[in-house]
Coordinates of all heavy atoms in Angstrom, one line a residue:
M1484 N 13.6 -41.2 -12.4 CA 12.7 -41.4 -13.5 C 12.1 -42.8 -13.5 O 12.8 -43.8 -13.3 CB 13.3 -41.1 -14.8 CG 12.4 -40.8 -16.0 SD 13.3 -40.1 -17.4 CE 13.1 -41.4 -18.5
A1485 N 10.8 -42.9 -13.7 CA 10.2 -44.3 -13.7 C 10.7 -45.1 -14.8 O 11.0 -44.7 -15.9 CB 8.7 -44.1 -13.8
T1486 N 10.7 -46.4 -14.6 CA 11.1 -47.4 -15.6 C 10.0 -47.5 -16.6 O 8.9 -47.8 -16.1 CB 11.5 -48.7 -14.9 OG1 12.5 -48.5 -14.0 CG2 12.0 -49.7 -16.0
P1487 N 10.2 -47.4 -17.8 CA 9.1 -47.6 -18.8 C 8.5 -49.1 -18.7 O 9.3 -50.0 -18.4 CB 9.8 -47.4 -20.2 CG 11.1 -46.8 -19.9 CD 11.5 -47.2 -18.5
A1488 N 7.2 -49.1 -18.9 CA 6.6 -50.4 -18.8 C 7.1 -51.3 -20.0 O 7.3 -50.8 -21.1 CB 5.1 -50.2 -18.8
K1489 N 7.1 -52.6 -19.7 CA 7.4 -53.5 -20.8 C 6.2 -53.7 -21.6 O 5.0 -53.6 -21.1 CB 7.9 -54.9 -20.2 CG 9.2 -54.7 -19.4 CD 9.5 -55.9 -18.6 CE 10.8 -55.7 -17.9 NZ 11.2 -56.8 -16.9
P1490 N 6.3 -54.1 -22.9 CA 5.1 -54.3 -23.7 C 4.2 -55.3 -23.1 O 4.7 -56.4 -22.6 CB 5.7 -54.8 -25.0 CG 7.1 -54.3 -25.0 CD 7.6 -54.3 -23.6
G1491 N 2.9 -55.0 -23.0 CA 1.9 -55.9 -22.5 C 1.9 -56.0 -21.0 O 1.2 -56.9 -20.5
V1492 N 2.7 -55.2 -20.3 CA 2.7 -55.3 -18.9 C 2.2 -53.9 -18.3 O 2.6 -52.9 -18.8 CB 4.1 -55.6 -18.4 CG1 4.2 -55.5 -16.8 CG2 4.6 -57.0 -18.9
S1493 N 1.4 -53.9 -17.3 CA 0.9 -52.7 -16.7 C 2.0 -51.8 -16.2 O 2.9 -52.3 -15.5 CB -0.1 -53.1 -15.6 OG -0.4 -51.9 -14.9
A1494 N 1.9 -50.6 -16.4 CA 2.9 -49.6 -15.9 C 2.4 -49.2 -14.5 O 3.2 -48.6 -13.7 CB 2.9 -48.4 -16.8
D1495 N 1.2 -49.5 -14.1 CA 0.7 -49.0 -12.8 C 0.5 -50.1 -11.8 O 0.4 -49.7 -10.6 CB -0.7 -48.4 -13.1 CG -0.6 -47.2 -14.0 OD1 0.4 -46.5 -13.9 OD2 -1.5 -47.1 -14.9
L1496 N 0.5 -51.3 -12.1 CA 0.3 -52.4 -11.1 C 1.4 -53.4 -11.1 O 1.8 -53.9 -12.2 CB -1.0 -53.1 -11.5 CG -2.3 -52.2 -11.4 CD1 -3.5 -53.0 -11.8 CD2 -2.4 -51.6 -10.0
R1497 N 1.8 -53.8 -10.0 CA 2.8 -54.9 -9.8 C 2.3 -55.8 -8.7 O 1.5 -55.4 -7.9 CB 4.2 -54.3 -9.5 CG 4.2 -53.4 -8.3 CD 5.7 -52.8 -8.2 NE 5.8 -52.3 -6.9 CZ 6.9 -52.1 -6.2 NH1 8.1 -52.4 -6.9 NH2 7.0 -51.7 -5.0
V1498 N 2.8 -57.0 -8.7 CA 2.3 -58.0 -7.8 C 3.4 -58.8 -7.1 O 4.4 -59.0 -7.8 CB 1.2 -58.9 -8.5 CG1 1.9 -59.6 -9.7 CG2 0.6 -59.9 -7.5
R1499 N 3.2 -59.1 -5.9 CA 4.2 -60.0 -5.2 C 3.3 -61.0 -4.3 O 2.2 -60.7 -4.0 CB 5.2 -59.2 -4.4 CG 4.7 -58.6 -3.1 CD 5.8 -58.0 -2.3 NE 5.3 -57.3 -1.1 CZ 5.1 -57.9 0.1 NH1 5.3 -59.2 0.2 NH2 4.7 -57.2 1.0
V1500 N 4.0 -62.0 -3.9 CA 3.4 -62.9 -2.9 C 4.3 -63.0 -1.7 O 5.5 -63.1 -1.8 CB 3.3 -64.4 -3.5 CG1 2.9 -65.4 -2.5 CG2 2.4 -64.4 -4.7
D1501 N 3.7 -62.9 -0.5 CA 4.4 -63.1 0.7 C 4.3 -64.6 1.1 O 3.3 -65.1 1.6 CB 3.8 -62.3 1.9 CG 4.4 -62.6 3.2 OD1 5.4 -63.4 3.3 OD2 3.8 -62.2 4.2
Q1502 N 5.4 -65.4 0.7 CA 5.3 -66.8 0.9 C 5.2 -67.2 2.3 O 4.7 -68.3 2.6 CB 6.6 -67.5 0.3 CG 6.6 -67.6 -1.2 CD 6.9 -66.2 -1.9 OE1 7.6 -65.4 -1.3 NE2 6.4 -66.0 -3.1
G1503 N 5.6 -66.4 3.3 CA 5.4 -66.7 4.7 C 4.0 -66.9 5.1 O 3.8 -67.5 6.2
A1504 N 3.0 -66.4 4.3 CA 1.6 -66.6 4.7 C 0.9 -67.4 3.7 O -0.4 -67.6 3.8 CB 1.0 -65.2 4.8
C1505 N 1.6 -67.9 2.6 CA 0.9 -68.7 1.6 C 0.5 -70.0 2.2 O 1.2 -70.7 2.8 CB 1.9 -68.9 0.4 SG 1.2 -69.9 -0.9
T1506 N -0.8 -70.4 1.9 CA -1.3 -71.7 2.4 C -1.1 -72.8 1.3 O -1.3 -74.0 1.6 CB -2.8 -71.6 2.6 OG1 -3.5 -71.5 1.3 CG2 -3.2 -70.5 3.5
G1507 N -0.7 -72.5 0.1 CA -0.4 -73.4 -0.9 C -1.7 -74.0 -1.5 O -1.6 -75.1 -2.1
D1508 N -2.8 -73.4 -1.4 CA -4.0 -73.9 -1.9 C -4.1 -73.8 -3.4 O -4.8 -74.6 -4.0 CB -5.2 -73.2 -1.3 CG -5.2 -71.7 -1.7 OD1 -4.4 -71.0 -1.1 OD2 -6.0 -71.4 -2.6
G1509 N -3.5 -72.9 -4.0 CA -3.4 -72.8 -5.5 C -4.4 -72.0 -6.2 O -4.5 -72.0 -7.4
L1510 N -5.2 -71.3 -5.4 CA -6.3 -70.4 -6.1 C -5.6 -69.5 -7.1 O -6.1 -69.3 -8.2 CB -7.1 -69.6 -5.0 CG -8.1 -68.7 -5.6 CD1 -9.3 -69.6 -6.2 CD2 -8.6 -67.8 -4.5
C1511 N -4.6 -68.8 -6.7 CA -3.9 -67.9 -7.6 C -3.4 -68.5 -8.9 O -3.5 -68.0 -10.0 CB -2.8 -67.1 -6.9 SG -1.5 -68.3 -6.3
V1512 N -2.9 -69.8 -8.7 CA -2.3 -70.5 -9.9 C -3.5 -70.8 -10.8 O -3.3 -70.8 -12.1 CB -1.6 -71.8 -9.4 CG1 -1.1 -72.6 -10.6 CG2 -0.5 -71.4 -8.5
Q1513 N -4.7 -71.2 -10.2 CA -5.8 -71.5 -11.1 C -6.3 -70.2 -11.8 O -6.7 -70.3 -13.0 CB -7.0 -72.0 -10.3 CG -6.7 -73.4 -9.7 CD -7.9 -73.9 -8.8 OE1 -9.0 -73.4 -8.9 NE2 -7.6 -74.8 -7.9
L1514 N -6.3 -69.1 -11.1 CA -6.9 -67.9 -11.7 C -6.0 -67.2 -12.7 O -6.4 -66.7 -13.7 CB -7.2 -66.9 -10.6 CG -8.4 -67.2 -9.7 CD1 -8.6 -66.2 -8.6 CD2 -9.7 -67.2 -10.5
A1515 N -4.7 -67.2 -12.5 CA -3.7 -66.5 -13.3 C -2.4 -67.3 -13.5 O -1.4 -66.9 -12.9 CB -3.4 -65.1 -12.8
P1516 N -2.5 -68.4 -14.2 CA -1.3 -69.3 -14.3 C -0.1 -68.7 -15.0 O 1.0 -69.2 -14.9 CB -1.8 -70.5 -15.1 CG -3.1 -70.1 -15.7 CD -3.6 -69.0 -14.9
S1517 N -0.4 -67.6 -15.7 CA 0.8 -66.9 -16.4 C 1.6 -66.0 -15.4 O 2.7 -65.6 -15.7 CB 0.3 -66.0 -17.6 OG -0.6 -65.0 -17.2
V1518 N 0.9 -65.8 -14.2 CA 1.7 -65.0 -13.3 C 2.1 -65.7 -12.0 O 3.1 -65.4 -11.4 CB 0.7 -63.8 -12.8 CG1 1.3 -63.0 -11.7 CG2 0.4 -62.9 -14.1
F1519 N 1.3 -66.7 -11.6 CA 1.6 -67.4 -10.4 C 1.9 -68.9 -10.7 O 1.3 -69.5 -11.5 CB 0.4 -67.4 -9.4 CG -0.1 -66.0 -9.1 CD1 -1.2 -65.5 -9.7 CD2 0.5 -65.2 -8.1 CE1 -1.7 -64.2 -9.4 CE2 0.1 -64.0 -7.8 CZ -1.0 -63.5 -8.4
E1520 N 2.9 -69.4 -9.9 CA 3.2 -70.8 -10.1 C 3.8 -71.3 -8.8 O 4.4 -70.5 -8.0 CB 4.3 -70.9 -11.2 CG 4.7 -72.4 -11.5 CD 5.6 -72.4 -12.7 OE1 5.4 -71.7 -13.7 OE2 6.6 -73.1 -12.6
F1521 N 3.6 -72.6 -8.6 CA 4.2 -73.2 -7.3 C 5.7 -73.5 -7.6 O 6.1 -74.0 -8.7 CB 3.5 -74.5 -7.0 CG 2.1 -74.4 -6.4 CD1 1.1 -75.0 -6.9 CD2 2.0 -73.6 -5.3 CE1 -0.2 -75.0 -6.4 CE2 0.7 -73.4 -4.7 CZ -0.4 -74.1 -5.3
D1522 N 6.5 -73.3 -6.6 CA 7.9 -73.8 -6.7 C 7.9 -75.2 -5.9 O 6.9 -75.7 -5.5 CB 8.8 -72.8 -6.0 CG 10.3 -73.0 -6.4 OD1 10.5 -74.0 -7.2 OD2 11.1 -72.2 -6.0
V1523 N 9.0 -75.8 -5.8 CA 9.2 -77.1 -5.3 C 8.8 -77.1 -3.8 O 8.5 -78.2 -3.2 CB 10.6 -77.7 -5.4 CG1 10.8 -78.0 -6.9 CG2 11.6 -76.8 -4.9
D1524 N 8.8 -76.0 -3.2 CA 8.4 -75.9 -1.7 C 6.9 -75.9 -1.5 O 6.4 -75.8 -0.4 CB 9.0 -74.7 -1.1 CG 8.6 -73.3 -1.7 OD1 7.7 -73.4 -2.6 OD2 9.2 -72.3 -1.4
G1525 N 6.1 -75.9 -2.6 CA 4.6 -76.0 -2.5 C 4.1 -74.6 -2.3 O 2.8 -74.5 -2.0
L1526 N 4.8 -73.5 -2.4 CA 4.3 -72.2 -2.2 C 4.3 -71.5 -3.6 O 5.0 -71.8 -4.5 CB 5.2 -71.5 -1.2 CG 5.3 -72.1 0.2 CD1 6.4 -71.3 1.0 CD2 4.0 -72.3 0.9
A1527 N 3.4 -70.5 -3.6 CA 3.2 -69.7 -4.9 C 4.2 -68.6 -5.0 O 4.5 -67.9 -4.0 CB 1.8 -69.2 -4.9
Y1528 N 4.7 -68.4 -6.2 CA 5.6 -67.3 -6.5 C 5.1 -66.6 -7.8 O 4.3 -67.2 -8.5 CB 7.0 -67.9 -6.8 CG 7.7 -68.4 -5.5 CD1 7.4 -69.6 -5.0 CD2 8.7 -67.7 -4.8 CE1 7.9 -70.2 -3.9 CE2 9.2 -68.1 -3.6 CZ 8.9 -69.4 -3.2 OH 9.4 -69.9 -2.1
V1529 N 5.6 -65.4 -8.0 CA 5.2 -64.7 -9.2 C 6.3 -65.0 -10.3 O 7.4 -65.4 -10.0 CB 5.1 -63.2 -9.0 CG1 3.8 -62.9 -8.2 CG2 6.4 -62.6 -8.4
K1530 N 5.8 -64.9 -11.5 CA 6.7 -65.1 -12.7 C 6.8 -63.8 -13.5 O 5.8 -63.1 -13.6 CB 6.2 -66.2 -13.6 CG 6.0 -67.6 -13.0 CD 5.6 -68.6 -14.0 CE 4.2 -68.6 -14.4 NZ 3.8 -69.8 -15.2
D1531 N 7.9 -63.6 -14.1 CA 8.1 -62.4 -15.0 C 7.5 -62.8 -16.4 O 7.0 -63.9 -16.6 CB 9.5 -61.9 -15.1 CG 10.4 -62.8 -15.8 OD1 10.0 -63.8 -16.4 OD2 11.6 -62.6 -15.7
E1532 N 7.5 -61.8 -17.3 CA 6.9 -62.0 -18.6 C 7.5 -63.1 -19.4 O 7.0 -63.5 -20.4 CB 6.8 -60.7 -19.4 CG 8.1 -60.2 -19.9 CD 9.0 -59.5 -18.8 OE1 8.6 -59.4 -17.6 OE2 10.1 -59.0 -19.2
T1533 N 8.7 -63.5 -19.0 CA 9.4 -64.6 -19.8 C 9.1 -66.0 -19.1 O 9.6 -67.0 -19.6 CB 10.9 -64.4 -19.8 OG1 11.4 -64.5 -18.5 CG2 11.2 -63.1 -20.4
G1534 N 8.3 -65.9 -18.0 CA 8.0 -67.2 -17.3 C 9.0 -67.6 -16.2 O 8.9 -68.7 -15.7
D1535 N 10.0 -66.7 -16.0 CA 10.9 -67.1 -14.9 C 10.3 -66.8 -13.5 O 9.8 -65.7 -13.2 CB 12.2 -66.2 -15.0 CG 13.1 -66.7 -16.1 OD1 13.0 -67.8 -16.6 OD2 14.0 -65.9 -16.6
L1536 N 10.4 -67.9 -12.7 CA 9.9 -67.7 -11.3 C 10.8 -66.8 -10.5 O 12.0 -66.9 -10.6 CB 9.9 -69.1 -10.7 CG 8.8 -69.5 -9.7 CD1 7.5 -69.3 -10.3 CD2 9.0 -71.0 -9.3
Q1537 N 10.2 -65.9 -9.8 CA 10.9 -64.9 -9.0 C 10.9 -65.4 -7.6 O 9.9 -65.2 -6.8 CB 10.3 -63.5 -9.1 CG 10.1 -63.1 -10.5 CD 11.5 -62.9 -11.2 OE1 12.3 -62.1 -10.8 NE2 11.6 -63.6 -12.3
T1538 N 12.0 -66.0 -7.1 CA 12.1 -66.6 -5.8 C 12.7 -65.8 -4.7 O 12.8 -66.2 -3.6 CB 12.7 -68.0 -5.9 OG1 14.0 -67.8 -6.5 CG2 11.9 -68.9 -6.7
S1539 N 13.3 -64.6 -5.1 CA 13.9 -63.8 -4.1 C 12.8 -63.1 -3.2 O 11.7 -62.8 -3.7 CB 14.8 -62.7 -4.7 OG 14.1 -61.9 -5.6
E1540 N 13.0 -62.9 -1.9 CA 12.1 -62.4 -1.0 C 11.6 -61.0 -1.5 O 12.3 -60.2 -1.8 CB 12.7 -62.3 0.4 CG 11.6 -62.0 1.4 CD 12.3 -62.1 2.8 OE1 13.3 -62.7 3.0 OE2 11.6 -61.5 3.7
G1541 N 10.2 -60.9 -1.5 CA 9.6 -59.6 -1.8 C 9.7 -59.3 -3.3 O 9.4 -58.1 -3.7
A1542 N 10.0 -60.2 -4.2 CA 10.1 -59.9 -5.6 C 8.7 -59.6 -6.2 O 7.7 -60.2 -6.0 CB 10.7 -61.2 -6.3
Y1543 N 8.7 -58.5 -7.0 CA 7.6 -58.0 -7.7 C 7.7 -58.3 -9.2 O 8.8 -58.3 -9.7 CB 7.4 -56.5 -7.5 CG 6.7 -56.1 -6.3 CD1 7.5 -55.6 -5.2 CD2 5.3 -56.0 -6.2 CE1 6.8 -55.2 -4.0 CE2 4.7 -55.6 -5.0 CZ 5.4 -55.1 -4.0 OH 4.8 -54.6 -2.8
V1544 N 6.6 -58.5 -9.8 CA 6.6 -58.4 -11.3 C 5.5 -57.5 -11.7 O 4.5 -57.3 -11.0 CB 6.3 -59.8 -12.0 CG1 7.5 -60.8 -11.6 CG2 5.0 -60.4 -11.5
G1545 N 5.6 -56.9 -12.9 CA 4.5 -56.1 -13.5 C 3.4 -57.0 -13.8 O 3.6 -58.2 -14.2
V1546 N 2.1 -56.5 -13.7 CA 1.0 -57.3 -14.0 C 0.7 -57.3 -15.5 O 0.5 -56.2 -16.0 CB -0.3 -56.8 -13.2 CG1 -1.5 -57.7 -13.6 CG2 0.0 -56.9 -11.7
P1547 N 0.7 -58.4 -16.1 CA 0.4 -58.4 -17.6 C -1.0 -57.9 -17.8 O -2.0 -58.3 -17.1 CB 0.5 -59.9 -18.0 CG 1.4 -60.6 -16.9 CD 1.0 -59.8 -15.6
L1548 N -1.1 -57.1 -18.8 CA -2.4 -56.5 -19.1 C -3.6 -57.4 -19.3 O -4.7 -57.2 -18.9 CB -2.3 -55.5 -20.3 CG -1.4 -54.3 -20.0 CD1 -1.2 -53.5 -21.4 CD2 -2.0 -53.4 -18.9
P1549 N -3.4 -58.5 -20.1 CA -4.5 -59.4 -20.3 C -5.0 -60.1 -19.1 O -6.2 -60.6 -19.1 CB -3.9 -60.5 -21.2 CG -2.7 -59.9 -21.9 CD -2.2 -59.0 -20.8
V1550 N -4.3 -60.1 -18.0 CA -4.7 -60.8 -16.8 C -4.9 -59.9 -15.6 O -4.8 -60.4 -14.4 CB -3.9 -62.1 -16.5 CG1 -4.0 -63.1 -17.6 CG2 -2.4 -61.6 -16.2
V1551 N -5.0 -58.6 -15.8 CA -5.1 -57.7 -14.6 C -6.3 -58.1 -13.8 O -6.1 -58.2 -12.5 CB -5.3 -56.3 -15.2 CG1 -5.8 -55.3 -14.0 CG2 -4.0 -55.7 -15.7
N1552 N -7.4 -58.3 -14.3 CA -8.6 -58.7 -13.5 C -8.4 -60.0 -12.8 O -8.8 -60.1 -11.6 CB -9.9 -58.7 -14.3 CG -10.3 -57.3 -14.7 OD1 -10.0 -56.3 -14.1 ND2 -11.1 -57.2 -15.8
A1553 N -7.8 -61.0 -13.4 CA -7.5 -62.3 -12.8 C -6.6 -62.1 -11.6 O -6.8 -62.8 -10.5 CB -7.0 -63.3 -13.8
V1554 N -5.6 -61.3 -11.8 CA -4.6 -61.0 -10.6 C -5.3 -60.3 -9.5 O -5.1 -60.6 -8.3 CB -3.4 -60.3 -11.2 CG1 -2.5 -59.8 -10.0 CG2 -2.6 -61.2 -12.1
L1555 N -6.1 -59.3 -9.8 CA -6.8 -58.6 -8.8 C -7.8 -59.5 -8.1 O -7.9 -59.5 -6.8 CB -7.7 -57.4 -9.4 CG -6.8 -56.3 -9.9 CD1 -7.7 -55.3 -10.6 CD2 -6.0 -55.6 -8.8
D1556 N -8.5 -60.4 -8.7 CA -9.4 -61.4 -8.2 C -8.6 -62.3 -7.3 O -9.0 -62.6 -6.1 CB -10.1 -62.2 -9.2 CG -11.2 -61.5 -9.9 OD1 -11.5 -60.4 -9.4 OD2 -11.7 -61.9 -10.9
A1557 N -7.4 -62.7 -7.7 CA -6.6 -63.6 -6.9 C -6.2 -62.9 -5.6 O -6.2 -63.5 -4.5 CB -5.3 -64.1 -7.7
A1558 N -5.8 -61.7 -5.7 CA -5.4 -60.9 -4.5 C -6.5 -60.8 -3.6 O -6.4 -60.9 -2.4 CB -4.9 -59.6 -4.9
D1559 N -7.7 -60.5 -4.1 CA -8.9 -60.3 -3.2 C -9.3 -61.7 -2.6 O -9.8 -61.6 -1.4 CB -10.1 -59.8 -4.1 CG -10.0 -58.3 -4.4 OD1 -9.2 -57.7 -3.7 OD2 -10.6 -57.9 -5.4
E1560 N -9.2 -62.8 -3.2 CA -9.7 -64.1 -2.8 C -8.6 -64.9 -2.1 O -9.0 -66.0 -1.6 CB -10.3 -64.8 -3.9 CG -11.5 -64.0 -4.5 CD -12.1 -64.6 -5.8 OE1 -11.9 -65.9 -6.0 OE2 -12.7 -63.9 -6.5
C1561 N -7.4 -64.5 -2.2 CA -6.3 -65.4 -1.6 C -6.5 -65.7 -0.1 O -6.7 -64.8 0.7 CB -5.0 -64.6 -1.7 SG -3.6 -65.3 -0.8
P1562 N -6.6 -67.0 0.2 CA -7.0 -67.4 1.6 C -5.9 -66.9 2.6 O -6.2 -66.7 3.7 CB -7.0 -68.9 1.5 CG -7.2 -69.2 0.1 CD -6.5 -68.1 -0.7
G1563 N -4.7 -66.7 2.1 CA -3.6 -66.4 3.0 C -3.4 -64.8 3.1 O -2.6 -64.4 3.8
T1564 N -4.3 -64.1 2.4 CA -4.2 -62.6 2.2 C -2.7 -62.3 2.0 O -2.2 -61.3 2.7 CB -4.8 -61.9 3.5 OG1 -4.1 -62.3 4.7 CG2 -6.3 -62.2 3.6
C1565 N -2.0 -63.0 1.1 CA -0.6 -62.8 1.0 C -0.2 -62.4 -0.4 O 1.0 -62.4 -0.7 CB 0.1 -64.0 1.5 SG -0.3 -65.5 0.6
I1566 N -1.2 -62.0 -1.3 CA -0.9 -61.5 -2.6 C -1.0 -60.0 -2.5 O -2.1 -59.5 -2.0 CB -1.8 -62.0 -3.7 CG1 -1.6 -63.5 -3.8 CG2 -1.6 -61.3 -5.0 CD1 -2.6 -64.2 -4.8
Y1567 N -0.1 -59.2 -2.9 CA -0.1 -57.7 -2.8 C 0.0 -57.2 -4.2 O 1.0 -57.4 -5.0 CB 1.0 -57.2 -2.0 CG 1.0 -57.6 -0.5 CD1 1.4 -58.9 -0.1 CD2 0.5 -56.7 0.4 CE1 1.4 -59.2 1.2 CE2 0.5 -57.0 1.7 CZ 0.9 -58.3 2.2 OH 0.9 -58.6 3.5
V1568 N -1.1 -56.5 -4.7 CA -1.0 -55.7 -5.9 C -0.8 -54.3 -5.6 O -1.7 -53.7 -4.9 CB -2.3 -55.9 -6.7 CG1 -2.2 -55.2 -8.0 CG2 -2.5 -57.4 -7.0
T1569 N 0.2 -53.7 -6.0 CA 0.5 -52.3 -5.6 C 0.8 -51.4 -6.8 O 1.1 -51.9 -7.9 CB 1.8 -52.2 -4.7 OG1 2.9 -52.7 -5.3 CG2 1.5 -53.1 -3.4
R1570 N 0.6 -50.1 -6.5 CA 0.9 -49.1 -7.5 C 2.4 -48.7 -7.3 O 3.0 -49.0 -6.3 CB 0.0 -47.9 -7.3 CG -1.5 -48.3 -7.6 CD -2.4 -47.1 -7.8 NE -3.6 -47.5 -8.4 CZ -3.9 -47.7 -9.7 NH1 -3.0 -47.4 -10.6 NH2 -5.0 -48.1 -10.2
P1571 N 2.9 -47.9 -8.3 CA 4.3 -47.5 -8.2 C 4.7 -46.8 -6.9 O 5.8 -46.9 -6.4 CB 4.5 -46.6 -9.4 CG 3.5 -47.1 -10.4 CD 2.3 -47.5 -9.5
D1572 N 3.7 -46.1 -6.3 CA 4.0 -45.3 -5.1 C 3.9 -46.2 -3.8 O 4.0 -45.7 -2.7 CB 3.1 -44.1 -5.0 CG 1.7 -44.4 -4.8 OD1 1.3 -45.6 -4.8 OD2 0.9 -43.5 -4.7
G1573 N 3.6 -47.5 -4.0 CA 3.5 -48.4 -2.9 C 2.0 -48.5 -2.4 O 1.8 -49.4 -1.5
T1574 N 1.1 -47.7 -2.9 CA -0.3 -47.9 -2.5 C -0.8 -49.3 -2.8 O -0.6 -49.7 -4.0 CB -1.2 -46.9 -3.2 OG1 -0.6 -45.6 -3.0 CG2 -2.6 -46.9 -2.7
I1575 N -1.5 -49.9 -1.9 CA -2.0 -51.2 -2.2 C -3.3 -51.1 -3.0 O -4.3 -50.5 -2.5 CB -2.2 -52.0 -0.9 CG1 -0.9 -52.3 -0.2 CG2 -2.9 -53.4 -1.2 CD1 -1.0 -53.0 1.1
E1576 N -3.3 -51.8 -4.1 CA -4.5 -51.7 -5.0 C -5.5 -52.9 -4.6 O -6.7 -52.7 -4.6 CB -4.1 -51.8 -6.5 CG -5.3 -51.8 -7.4 CD -5.9 -50.4 -7.6 OE1 -5.3 -49.4 -7.2 OE2 -7.0 -50.4 -8.1
A1577 N -4.9 -54.0 -4.3 CA -5.7 -55.2 -3.9 C -4.8 -56.1 -3.1 O -3.6 -56.1 -3.3 CB -6.2 -55.8 -5.1
G1578 N -5.5 -56.9 -2.2 CA -4.8 -57.9 -1.6 C -4.2 -57.5 -0.3 O -4.5 -56.4 0.2
G1579 N -3.4 -58.3 0.3 CA -2.8 -58.0 1.6 C -3.8 -58.3 2.7 O -5.0 -58.5 2.5
P1580 N -3.4 -58.2 4.0 CA -4.3 -58.5 5.1 C -5.4 -57.4 5.1 O -5.1 -56.3 4.8 CB -3.3 -58.3 6.3 CG -2.0 -58.5 5.8 CD -2.0 -58.1 4.4
A1581 N -6.6 -57.8 5.5 CA -7.7 -56.9 5.6 C -7.4 -55.9 6.7 O -6.7 -56.2 7.6 CB -9.0 -57.7 5.9
D1582 N -8.0 -54.7 6.5 CA -7.8 -53.6 7.6 C -8.4 -54.1 8.9 O -9.4 -54.7 9.0 CB -8.5 -52.4 7.1 CG -7.8 -51.8 5.9 OD1 -6.7 -52.0 5.7 OD2 -8.5 -51.2 5.1
Ligands
SF4_1953 S1 -4.0 -68.0 -3.4 FE1 -2.7 -67.1 -1.9 S2 -2.5 -68.7 -0.3 FE2 -3.2 -69.6 -2.1 S3 -1.5 -70.4 -3.2 FE3 -1.9 -68.4 -4.0 S4 -0.6 -67.0 -2.8 FE4 -0.7 -68.9 -1.7

């Protein structure tokens, strides 16, 4: 059974960053600072709804509803093509390497 969405967080979209391809330019942090933040290594990570940086490899967070468009824009424009916005079934909604 699917986990219920947290209040204010999309039930359909989640986001992660592949730090191995992150250039550290900060576009995502500018577009959606409530979701993306640099760690001390200069790479971007996602934060959960309490602001905790998720530093484990492949960590996903649900996309907060107020910033869905900003997160999708970040995924589309990420120079490293390393932001993945996916649906619960794993389908990529935005981001990742171009086909
Ligand atoms: S936009 Fe992409 S490459 Fe740039 S800091 Fe964010 S995750 Fe890294």
Side-chain angles (χ1 to χ4, degrees):
M1484 196 167 114
T1486 306
K1489 296 172 182 172
V1492 176
S1493 171
D1495 297 322
L1496 297 177
R1497 57 185 195 157
V1498 59
R1499 73 173 174 89
V1500 173
D1501 173 8
Q1502 282 79 28
C1505 176
T1506 70
D1508 64 284
L1510 180 68
C1511 58
V1512 178
Q1513 290 177 23
L1514 288 173
S1517 63
V1518 174
F1519 303 101
E1520 187 176 312
F1521 287 129
D1522 201 358
V1523 291
D1524 58 8
L1526 302 175
Y1528 291 79
V1529 289
K1530 298 188 279 190
D1531 69 13
E1532 71 281 1
T1533 67
D1535 282 343
L1536 214 56
Q1537 306 296 302
T1538 56
S1539 58
E1540 189 174 343
Y1543 276 98
V1544 297
V1546 178
L1548 293 172
V1550 294
V1551 165
N1552 286 336
V1554 169
L1555 291 172
D1556 286 348
D1559 285 341
E1560 298 172 23
C1561 168
T1564 60
C1565 57
I1566 297 173
Y1567 293 80
V1568 180
T1569 62
R1570 294 195 170 272
D1572 66 0
T1574 308
I1575 295 177
E1576 179 73 17
D1582 293 331

